Amino acid sequence: MPEKKKQHLVPACYLKNFIAPLSKEQKSIGNFKAGLYVNDKTLSSGWKLRSVRHTTFTESYFYNLPEDDPRNPAIENYLSIIEGEYSKVFKEVIKGNLTNETMSFLSYFVSLQYMRVEPFIKQFQGNEDRVAGWLDAFEGKDNYKVASQNIAKRSLLTVDFGDLIDQHAAIIYNSTGFTFVTSDNPVVKLQINLSDALKIIPKRYLIDSQSESREVIFFFLPLNHKTAYVSCEMLDAKKSIVFNNADLENIFYLNYFSVLNSYRNVYSSVIKPIKGEALLSKLLSAEPKSLVKIYTLSKRIISNGVILSDIRTPVSAKYKTTSKVTLKIDDLSQLKLLTTDESIKLIEVLDNGISIRGMRNCRISRIDYNIGLIVIESI
């Protein structure tokens, strides 16, 4: 038995559903191999056709553990079983047979795919290694370091989703001429509020809600160029969603988030799948900015911005401090939605997607609408 060297981080059974149709010229070449169009995450390298077995999609021995027989690696073998079942379930999805069993398996597949890619495993393992380092430094031993080795990959074998039934899951059937794209990090996970939801899902499929300040988890996985899995508790209780030509903006935003979520590469079944790609590429290539989120009782304000000052003052009570944060907000129209003395449930400042400052149960003490300055103090 040969070694299982080339391992797909996004399974071949999934990628095959995005294979581009051959042109007449390509068909005339006897040994021409069909494949997917690949571009980098900023859409700046140009779309290149690559076969599913191309090294773009694989890493040598990625899932192997130190104790593995390279011809019989435990994690790769387990993932292969799941992938075999996925191919059967996908055929049922295409037929529209959306049973509880089908949706339950897809929810499990999405959860597993979210965890098996390189960015998740690197972040998970990095966090475990840091904690192990702190604990070992305290004890003067290497016990935790040894125990945490390859724990991110091992978790793929041990994680228990139980009998996963996602009551908020649905399948999108895209009847338009605009296709879904996917990537090397294909499961999109977002925190969204009602305004965000309206950008990516037609209003007719959403539960009526008035609050803009409430956020929920949103999962999205394109299954092929015309089909996708989606899960969000804002969805009305329907198993299928149909996109028509009135929903092209929703498709654009879903593709935008797929591109934004990619690790290195974006995949497509057609060349140049996104309208306005040159402008989008310019935006994706720009330096990331700090993001400010402000949640009132009924609204959520989100804008590029920065912290100008952050003052924390100890008070008499033990371990208590008061906080005063001054922010500069770029989007002045968003700032006009806020008022002085308004109660704030939460502020959060993110730098390159990582939260660097948060504060709960506070109030706005000052706003300068002309220059975008806002001062928020703890209560």
Side-chain angles (χ1 to χ4, degrees):
M1 180 187 296
E3 292 187 1
K4 296 183 178 180
K5 178 181 178 180
K6 296 179 69 174
Q7 298 175 358
H8 284 81
L9 280 65
V10 178
C13 67
Y14 173 83
L15 295 172
K16 286 177 181 176
N17 296 325
F18 289 88
I19 286 178
L22 295 179
S23 65
K24 290 183 179 179
E25 293 78 8
Q26 291 167 339
K27 288 179 181 177
S28 66
I29 304 172
N31 61 349
F32 190 89
K33 290 185 178 180
L36 295 73
Y37 287 103
V38 179
N39 207 333
D40 66 27
K41 66 177 298 176
T42 62
L43 305 181
S44 59
S45 68
W47 294 93
K48 302 174 181 65
L49 196 63
R50 296 287 183 259
S51 74
V52 171
R53 300 296 173 185
H54 192 272
T55 53
T56 296
F57 307 109
T58 64
E59 285 233 13
S60 297
Y61 307 112
F62 181 80
Y63 295 110
N64 285 28
L65 301 171
E67 68 272 19
D68 272 340
D69 176 351
R71 295 169 296 180
N72 196 29
I75 297 174
E76 179 71 1
N77 287 348
Y78 172 71
L79 294 175
S80 294
I81 295 171
I82 304 301
E83 292 159 15
E85 188 64 25
Y86 173 79
S87 297
K88 300 174 189 175
V89 170
F90 178 75
K91 291 177 182 178
E92 296 303 309
V93 171
I94 295 302
K95 294 176 185 176
N97 296 335
L98 306 182
T99 63
N100 286 337
E101 292 77 13
T102 296
M103 299 305 292
S104 179
F105 175 83
L106 281 176
S107 297
Y108 171 74
F109 180 85
V110 169
S111 301
L112 191 63
Q113 182 58 56
Y114 178 74
M115 295 175 61
R116 65 179 282 183
V117 290
E118 187 175 356
F120 180 90
I121 286 177
K122 282 186 173 180
Q123 182 178 15
F124 185 173
Q125 190 64 52
N127 292 339
E128 291 292 328
D129 289 343
R130 274 191 296 275
V131 173
W134 296 333
L135 294 171
D136 282 337
F138 179 75
E139 293 189 354
K141 299 178 181 179
D142 286 336
N143 294 338
Y144 292 98
K145 178 181 178 181
V146 173
S148 70
Q149 285 181 347
N150 292 300
I151 194 170
K153 293 178 183 179
R154 293 182 193 277
S155 68
L156 299 176
L157 293 173
T158 58
V159 67
D160 183 11
F161 295 110
D163 295 325
L164 186 63
I165 299 177
D166 188 343
Q167 301 296 335
H168 308 296
I171 300 298
I172 298 173
Y173 293 99
N174 179 0
S175 66
T176 77
F178 291 87
T179 60
F180 292 128
V181 300
T182 188
S183 78
D184 52 3
N185 188 27
V187 179
V188 176
K189 180 185 177 184
L190 301 171
Q191 289 277 133
I192 66 169
N193 74 343
L194 180 60
S195 294
D196 299 328
L198 289 169
K199 288 181 179 179
I200 50 186
I201 299 293
K203 185 177 181 180
R204 61 187 180 275
Y205 294 111
L206 295 174
I207 296 171
D208 190 29
S209 174
Q210 300 300 316
S211 177
E212 291 280 345
S213 68
R214 179 171 175 261
E215 288 188 330
V216 298
I217 299 293
F218 172 87
F219 283 101
F220 173 71
L221 175 68
L223 302 179
N224 72 356
H225 64 298
K226 290 288 189 178
T227 318
Y229 170 99
V230 63
S231 174
C232 178
E233 63 179 85
M234 285 187 181
L235 289 174
D236 203 350
K238 296 181 177 69
K239 286 184 178 178
S240 63
I241 295 171
V242 178
F243 279 11
N244 55 45
N245 286 332
D247 309 316
L248 295 181
E249 184 177 355
N250 301 128
I251 297 171
F252 172 84
Y253 275 107
L254 286 170
N255 279 339
Y256 170 73
F257 287 122
S258 285
V259 174
L260 206 62
N261 194 61
S262 62
Y263 186 51
R264 293 192 184 94
N265 294 310
V266 180
Y267 311 144
S268 173
S269 59
V270 298
I271 194 166
K272 295 185 178 180
I274 302 175
K275 189 176 180 180
E277 187 174 300
L279 177 59
L280 181 57
S281 176
K282 185 177 180 180
L283 292 172
L284 292 167
S285 301
E287 288 294 321
K289 296 182 179 181
S290 295
L291 198 67
V292 175
K293 292 184 176 183
I294 302 174
Y295 301 82
T296 71
L297 298 178
S298 61
K299 302 183 290 289
R300 186 207 64 185
I301 309 305
I302 182 168
S303 168
N304 290 330
V306 294
I307 299 174
L308 295 181
S309 70
D310 188 356
I311 302 170
R312 307 186 201 202
T313 307
V315 293
S316 57
K318 192 176 183 180
Y319 305 124
K320 294 286 185 179
T321 62
T322 61
S323 296
K324 181 179 179 180
V325 178
T326 303
L327 304 168
K328 174 71 168 59
I329 304 297
D330 290 356
D331 191 337
L332 300 183
S333 63
Q334 288 278 294
L335 196 63
K336 290 178 181 178
L337 300 175
L338 302 174
T339 59
T340 303
D341 288 328
E342 188 169 5
S343 295
I344 301 297
K345 292 195 298 185
L346 170 69
I347 66 165
E348 185 177 21
V349 182
L350 300 99
D351 186 12
N352 201 20
I354 299 172
S355 180
I356 60 172
R357 182 66 166 101
M359 187 162 66
R360 293 184 181 276
N361 301 321
C362 38
R363 58 178 283 274
I364 299 172
S365 62
R366 181 190 167 200
I367 301 178
D368 188 323
Y369 296 106
N370 294 317
I371 62 173
L373 185 142
I374 179 169
V375 180
I376 300 176
E377 299 186 35
S378 57
I379 298 173

